[in-house]
Amino acid sequence: MCLPKSAGGYNLLNIRVWNRVTITNADWDLAQKKDKMWIKWIHTYYIKGQSILEMNLPQQASWMVRKIIEAKEMIQQKPTVQYRHSSTKQIYLGILGSYSKVAWRNLMFRNEARPKAISTMWMQCHGRLLTTDSFTKTVWERLMQWIRIHVTPMKSYEQMMAWVITQAKGKSCKAKIMKMVYGEHIYGIWRERNSRIFEEATRTADQIAREVACVCNIRAQGGMRAQMQQLIF
């Protein structure tokens, strides 16, 4: 989940890695900058003219000072120019390493669906939710009929996802509507399954599609809203 959205993550901050980066930056400042009071204090009481990269860890120092000096190992692993000219964020992304982009990344960006719907869609894109049954297909076809998009019969889930991804590309109102409808549709299906399992309550495909249409109309902004208000469910 800590990877960027384009790589299939949720762009959450990896606190452990971020903490390492900030401590290492403090160690770099300690080694290169001597104009701050806290740096002068550490140099006077612990470093005493030694090189930070070569000195032994002072055992009498506080845990915070020891952690900063211990970060010298990370500086030795990375070129010093990286710390001199890079921001904390750039170093953080460098430590995360390279990653491949997922095909469905455009569904995650600028999606006007509710956050809980986007989270559910994210799990579905990772294959953690079943969305290939006939009931889901019926709801989806009803929604496509509502937004006036013709859907050709597809034999597999992969074909459907590829089609949705293609339709959701770009910045047009049509693409934005597709992303929002798809996200809310997945959430509606997930919620219906939970209701049937835990509450023994059942709704029809048309009721779910109508609820999705209502939510999308409420959340649509600008040109999207004007276009969606012309649609009749």
Side-chain angles (χ1 to χ4, degrees):
M1 294 185 73
C2 293
L3 290 175
K5 290 182 179 180
S6 60
Y10 218 79
N11 210 28
L12 298 180
L13 189 67
N14 188 322
I15 299 298
R16 179 174 295 179
V17 175
W18 185 265
N19 188 50
R20 286 173 56 198
V21 172
T22 53
I23 291 176
T24 305
N25 272 350
D27 191 62
W28 171 257
D29 290 344
L30 192 62
Q32 302 297 324
K33 301 177 182 179
K34 299 183 180 180
D35 56 341
K36 296 182 179 180
M37 183 64 69
W38 72 273
I39 293 178
K40 291 181 179 180
W41 181 81
I42 292 178
H43 271 273
T44 300
Y45 285 93
Y46 299 114
I47 299 177
K48 299 178 180 179
Q50 303 177 77
S51 169
I52 291 181
L53 298 179
E54 298 175 358
M55 67 177 289
N56 294 324
L57 188 66
Q59 298 301 317
Q60 75 277 18
S62 66
W63 68 269
M64 182 177 66
V65 173
R66 290 201 303 269
K67 281 292 182 182
I68 293 175
I69 297 178
E70 282 176 353
K72 64 183 180 180
E73 298 176 359
M74 193 169 176
I75 290 182
Q76 292 171 334
Q77 295 173 3
K78 299 284 183 180
T80 55
V81 67
Q82 181 176 0
Y83 293 95
R84 188 180 299 119
H85 300 293
S86 301
S87 65
T88 302
K89 182 179 179 180
Q90 289 172 329
I91 299 172
Y92 168 79
L93 293 176
I95 292 176
L96 285 182
S98 58
Y99 40 80
S100 57
K101 296 182 179 180
V102 293
W104 44 267
R105 61 187 180 276
N106 62 319
L107 297 177
M108 295 293 296
F109 292 102
R110 297 182 180 179
N111 193 328
E112 298 295 333
R114 292 171 292 180
K116 57 185 177 183
I118 295 175
S119 297
T120 307
M121 181 188 68
W122 179 81
M123 290 190 291
Q124 181 265 334
C125 288
H126 277 283
R128 299 175 186 174
L129 295 176
L130 179 64
T131 54
T132 56
D133 57 278
S134 58
F135 183 79
T136 302
K137 182 180 178 182
T138 303
V139 176
W140 179 246
E141 289 176 348
R142 183 67 183 89
L143 288 169
M144 292 300 98
Q145 181 183 356
W146 168 57
I147 61 176
R148 301 173 185 173
I149 294 180
H150 176 69
V151 181
T152 56
M154 300 176 194
K155 297 181 180 180
S156 66
Y157 165 76
E158 288 74 18
Q159 286 181 334
M160 177 186 172
M161 278 299 297
W163 181 83
V164 171
I165 291 168
T166 301
Q167 295 293 319
K169 284 184 178 179
K171 299 179 181 179
S172 65
C173 286
K174 180 181 177 181
K176 292 178 180 179
I177 290 173
M178 174 60 73
K179 283 192 283 190
M180 179 169 60
V181 170
Y182 185 74
E184 292 293 345
H185 151 258
I186 294 298
Y187 176 74
I189 295 298
W190 175 80
R191 183 183 172 192
E192 175 63 17
R193 287 209 176 105
N194 283 349
S195 296
R196 293 187 179 190
I197 294 172
F198 300 109
E199 300 175 10
E200 298 183 355
T202 303
R203 293 184 298 170
T204 65
D206 196 70
Q207 287 175 319
I208 297 173
R210 186 178 294 274
E211 182 183 68
V212 171
C214 179
V215 171
C216 290
N217 267 293
I218 293 172
R219 293 193 62 82
Q221 301 291 329
M224 288 175 60
R225 171 168 291 184
Q227 186 169 333
M228 295 189 76
Q229 286 177 346
Q230 298 176 6
L231 303 174
I232 300 176
F233 190 85

